[in-house]
Amino acid sequence: MRSHYCGDVNKSHLGQEVTLVGWVNRSRDLGGVVFLDLRDREGLIQVVYDPDLKDVFDVASSLRAEFCVQVKGIVRARPDSQVNTQMKTGEVEILGKELTIINASAPLPLSMDNYQNNSEEQRLKYRYLDLRRPEMAERLIFRAKVTSAVRRFLDSNGFLDIETPILTKATPEGARDYLVPSRTYKGQFFALPQSPQLFKQLLMMSGFDRYYQIVKCFRDEDLRADRQPEFTQIDIETSFMTSEQVMEKTEQMMRGLFQDLLNVDLGEFPRMTFAEAMRRFGSDKPDLRNPLELVDVADLVKDVEFAVFNGPANDQEGRVAALRIPTGASLSRKQIDEYTKFAGIYGAKGLAWMKLNDLDAGMEGIQSPVAKFLTEDIIKQIISRTGGQTGDIILFGADKANVVAEAMGALRLKAGEDFDLLEGQWRPLWVVDFPMFEKINGGLHAVHHPFTAPRGITPAELKADPVGAVSDAYDMVLNGCELGGGSVRIHNAEMQSTVFELLGIEAEEAKEKFGFLLEALRYGTPPHAGLAFGLDRIIMLMTGASSIRDVMAFPKTTTAACPLTNAPGFANPQQLVELGVSVIEKPKTDTE
């Protein structure tokens, strides 16, 4: 039905007859001449119809937005005064000779321009229309280019694309599983995979050496802008490669993607330990475009008569950190109160501050509600340590170390945006040397997952000091967003059993859930390591989208619903009988 895509017609086709199909982006009648912007996935082109061909002209005059049409005409150059440099096809137009309406369109339920104010609910309900918008089409086409480039890179480096099961068994990955009832095993359930973790390890045990898969994963968890119940991973696993080699290979892949598709050189990928990232930036995925850093001042305030400072300063689990914001003394009291409220979202009980109005004026030039609790010498040391200058403000966080990191880390990002401090467009890094475990409610939890190997210690040494153990793990971070995370895996049955034990997984439970893995580890398992990238996040960053929902064809809402299909829905009662499943109805509220 077509000879060319709309967006591919150019000056090399001058004088040729072409046949195009697509949708009416816009139609306008200007003094007896109809100008039609025809759109397909590759772009727009202008088609001109004049009254000489009355029947064709009458059809052109009847068109409305989103009519699906076929156009036949001659390619000609636009007059110099009408050349549109903003369009790929802006130097040419089509003189229309024939026009067929393939399918008319009803009045549209949403606006189709790129600056529309449609609600997310509207956009997802009519996603098939939303995806026609050039902005959305370009993102999905770009996504296809990324996955194609990833496959080419991995294929050329000896990786094998191997599929793993979607119906599997629940594993402790840190989020809830989506469960699938079994009709043939009534009362029993499969789980949709949160990742192919165990299967890709088993593939390494099977001798396939290098595996990859662009795979759907599922997590039934609370959603954010960069979270979805189903998402896509670039999943990679290797045998006989160290963490350094895995990082080198995947960094090479990521450099290639940005260079080939965006003409961007990502530059150096610095290495930073987890401990350093938390100390300097309050985050294990710091945005290095932001020059602000947290500075520890607990040693300076541990003896002051101010419980807000001296309490955390003398607590082994506490922290007192300062954040200097250049020119921040311009903040009004109302703005400081807004910052205080913002820090409270992350658990901070308050926000102490110190304005450096005029350092040449000594203490007279310092404005702060906490200055009365500090000596002049302590204030000078704080200013010196933070690099304070006249016109700056210093904000203080004092609490448990994790609360200070969360609140001050978030405040650092907000201040960087508010004061337009970001430097450079792309700042990648590797974060390494994560702790093996973290304490939550008195118990140990794996920071990555329970199949991550500790760095350089025996099972006995791990058991003796689990909190002090460092994992052989690594995360790739770009502009404050974790693109992917990975680790060297445990390839020793004794070490794996020790980790399960430390996590409170008793031997019987470990056998029930992971017996196949523990058994497999007994038969010559090679050392192996891998990494999984979040494809949706990569595309979001590369296209400048604000949410991963804008780079997925059919995403869910923030409540994990699909307005397009009205999923999830209620099951047929007969199906539930066959599955051996009963449903507990949601209790009705007084307003229902």
Side-chain angles (χ1 to χ4, degrees):
M1 295 183 72
R2 66 156 66 92
S3 63
H4 299 77
Y5 281 105
C6 295
D8 292 341
V9 179
N10 54 48
K11 292 181 76 172
S12 70
H13 301 105
L14 289 176
Q16 295 181 23
E17 183 179 83
V18 296
T19 303
L20 309 175
V21 291
W23 290 267
V24 176
N25 194 68
R26 188 169 59 145
S27 178
R28 53 207 188 278
D29 189 335
L30 301 178
V33 178
V34 172
F35 288 88
L36 173 72
D37 288 343
L38 188 67
R39 185 192 71 242
D40 61 19
R41 76 173 201 191
E42 297 299 329
L44 290 166
I45 192 163
Q46 179 172 281
V47 186
V48 181
Y49 288 96
D50 59 45
D52 294 347
L53 301 171
K54 186 177 185 310
D55 291 345
V56 177
F57 184 81
D58 289 345
V59 174
S61 299
S62 71
L63 297 179
R64 294 198 309 270
E66 299 310 307
F67 272 44
C68 183
V69 300
Q70 182 188 58
V71 167
K72 290 186 180 181
I74 305 299
V75 182
R76 69 182 187 183
R78 288 197 192 191
D80 291 343
S81 61
Q82 295 179 21
V83 169
N84 185 346
T85 57
Q86 302 303 309
M87 289 176 63
K88 195 166 61 166
T89 60
E91 293 182 303
V92 297
E93 62 186 13
I94 309 298
L95 177 60
K97 298 297 184 182
E98 296 180 32
L99 177 61
T100 303
I101 297 177
I102 297 172
N103 216 331
S105 172
L108 299 175
L110 73 171
S111 171
M112 293 295 288
D113 64 76
N114 281 340
Y115 305 99
Q116 41 76 23
N117 294 314
N118 303 316
S119 68
E120 184 175 74
E121 187 81 11
Q122 283 178 300
R123 292 180 59 200
L124 296 185
K125 182 175 182 179
Y126 299 101
R127 191 63 162 181
Y128 45 87
L129 293 178
D130 189 50
L131 291 177
R132 289 184 192 173
R133 294 191 300 114
E135 180 182 46
M136 295 300 295
E138 287 165 10
R139 287 171 180 166
L140 289 190
I141 291 169
F142 184 85
R143 182 183 178 119
K145 291 177 180 177
V146 169
T147 56
S148 179
V150 166
R151 291 184 190 280
R152 285 197 303 272
F153 176 87
L154 294 173
D155 288 342
S156 66
N157 280 273
F159 288 82
L160 301 174
D161 183 357
I162 304 176
E163 295 178 338
T164 54
I166 292 296
L167 294 177
T168 180
K169 196 170 187 177
T171 58
E173 287 275 355
R176 295 184 181 92
D177 292 299
Y178 278 100
L179 299 178
V180 180
S182 169
R183 182 181 59 81
T184 51
Y185 296 92
K186 287 190 176 182
Q188 297 186 55
F189 295 82
F190 294 103
L192 300 181
Q194 295 182 39
S195 83
Q197 183 62 45
L198 294 180
F199 288 105
K200 65 181 180 180
Q201 288 189 238
L202 292 169
L203 286 170
M204 295 304 98
M205 298 174 193
S206 304
F208 287 99
D209 197 69
R210 294 188 180 191
Y211 140 98
Y212 83 93
Q213 189 180 186
I214 298 178
V215 60
K216 280 283 190 181
C217 300
F218 307 86
R219 291 182 183 174
D220 187 8
E221 60 183 351
D222 295 333
L223 306 180
R224 298 198 301 264
D226 59 347
R227 294 277 176 90
Q228 278 281 295
E230 53 180 309
F231 56 96
T232 306
Q233 283 187 183
I234 303 170
D235 209 51
I236 297 170
E237 198 76 8
T238 69
S239 295
F240 305 109
M241 286 180 71
T242 64
S243 53
E244 286 293 328
Q245 290 170 322
V246 172
M247 285 190 279
E248 180 183 349
K249 184 61 65 179
T250 52
E251 183 179 317
Q252 183 185 348
M253 182 183 80
M254 198 57 61
R255 284 179 185 278
L257 284 179
F258 274 76
Q259 188 67 64
D260 296 344
L261 297 177
L262 295 181
N263 196 28
V264 166
D265 181 0
L266 285 179
E268 180 188 1
F269 279 62
R271 306 288 173 88
M272 184 179 298
T273 66
F274 170 86
E276 180 184 355
M278 296 303 292
R279 175 174 55 80
R280 293 173 58 190
F281 307 110
S283 171
D284 61 358
K285 45 183 182 293
D287 186 348
L288 297 187
R289 296 173 302 166
N290 185 333
L292 302 181
E293 295 194 20
L294 307 185
V295 177
D296 286 311
V297 294
D299 59 312
L300 301 179
V301 298
K302 64 181 181 180
D303 295 324
V304 301
E305 293 184 4
F306 184 43
V308 171
F309 279 1
N310 67 35
N314 289 284
D315 182 349
Q316 283 190 335
E317 296 182 355
R319 184 181 184 188
V320 183
L323 177 69
R324 178 182 69 90
I325 304 175
T327 72
S330 60
L331 287 171
S332 67
R333 186 56 193 264
K334 180 183 178 183
Q335 290 171 313
I336 293 174
D337 288 344
E338 289 172 354
Y339 271 36
T340 303
K341 184 183 290 186
F342 177 81
I345 297 172
Y346 299 90
K349 301 180 185 68
L351 188 66
W353 53 272
M354 181 185 295
K355 285 187 177 184
L356 312 183
N357 294 324
D358 184 2
L359 292 185
D360 291 336
M363 293 299 289
E364 294 296 319
I366 305 296
Q367 178 187 355
S368 172
V370 300
K372 60 187 175 184
F373 301 108
L374 310 175
T375 66
E376 182 175 354
D377 182 57
I378 289 175
I379 290 175
K380 285 182 177 179
Q381 288 188 69
I382 290 172
I383 293 171
S384 174
R385 186 174 294 184
T386 58
Q389 304 288 328
T390 293
D392 297 347
I393 191 172
I394 300 173
L395 306 178
F396 298 90
D399 210 310
K400 295 293 185 183
N402 63 320
V403 173
V404 171
E406 284 269 335
M408 298 301 286
L411 202 54
R412 168 184 173 268
L413 295 177
K414 179 173 174 56
E417 295 281 354
D418 291 349
F419 285 83
D420 195 23
L421 299 175
L422 302 191
E423 302 168 348
Q425 187 176 6
W426 304 103
R427 293 293 300 276
L429 80 154
W430 286 104
V431 178
V432 298
D433 291 351
F434 288 81
M436 274 287 288
F437 305 105
E438 59 184 339
K439 276 191 173 182
I440 300 178
N441 298 326
L444 292 179
H445 293 257
V447 169
H448 270 73
H449 55 62
F451 316 108
T452 298
R455 187 189 293 277
I457 58 175
T458 65
E461 290 169 328
L462 177 63
K463 192 178 292 188
D465 182 20
V467 176
V470 172
S471 64
D472 201 349
Y474 35 85
D475 283 1
M476 183 187 287
V477 176
L478 180 63
N479 293 1
C481 182
E482 179 194 328
L483 295 187
S487 67
V488 172
R489 322 303 189 186
I490 296 169
H491 68 282
N492 174 278
E494 182 186 0
M495 179 65 81
Q496 188 64 76
S497 294
T498 299
V499 170
F500 286 156
E501 181 184 338
L502 290 169
L503 292 172
I505 302 174
E506 300 296 335
E508 193 61 35
E509 183 185 0
K511 183 178 179 181
E512 178 191 347
K513 289 185 175 179
F514 308 109
F516 64 94
L517 175 68
L518 295 170
E519 177 75 7
L521 288 170
R522 296 174 54 219
Y523 301 111
T525 297
H528 54 286
L531 187 147
F533 287 105
L535 176 64
D536 311 300
R537 290 185 187 178
I538 292 173
I539 307 299
M540 179 181 73
L541 279 177
M542 294 182 80
T543 60
S546 59
S547 164
I548 62 171
R549 292 189 292 279
D550 283 338
V551 298
M552 303 171 78
F554 299 103
K556 306 293 187 289
T557 66
T558 52
T559 57
C562 176
L564 175 65
T565 61
N566 288 323
F570 292 102
N572 184 302
Q574 184 57 41
Q575 282 183 302
L576 295 178
V577 171
E578 290 180 352
L579 293 168
V581 173
S582 62
V583 175
I584 301 174
E585 290 189 18
K586 178 183 175 182
K588 289 187 177 181
T589 63
D590 293 337
T591 57
E592 291 180 309

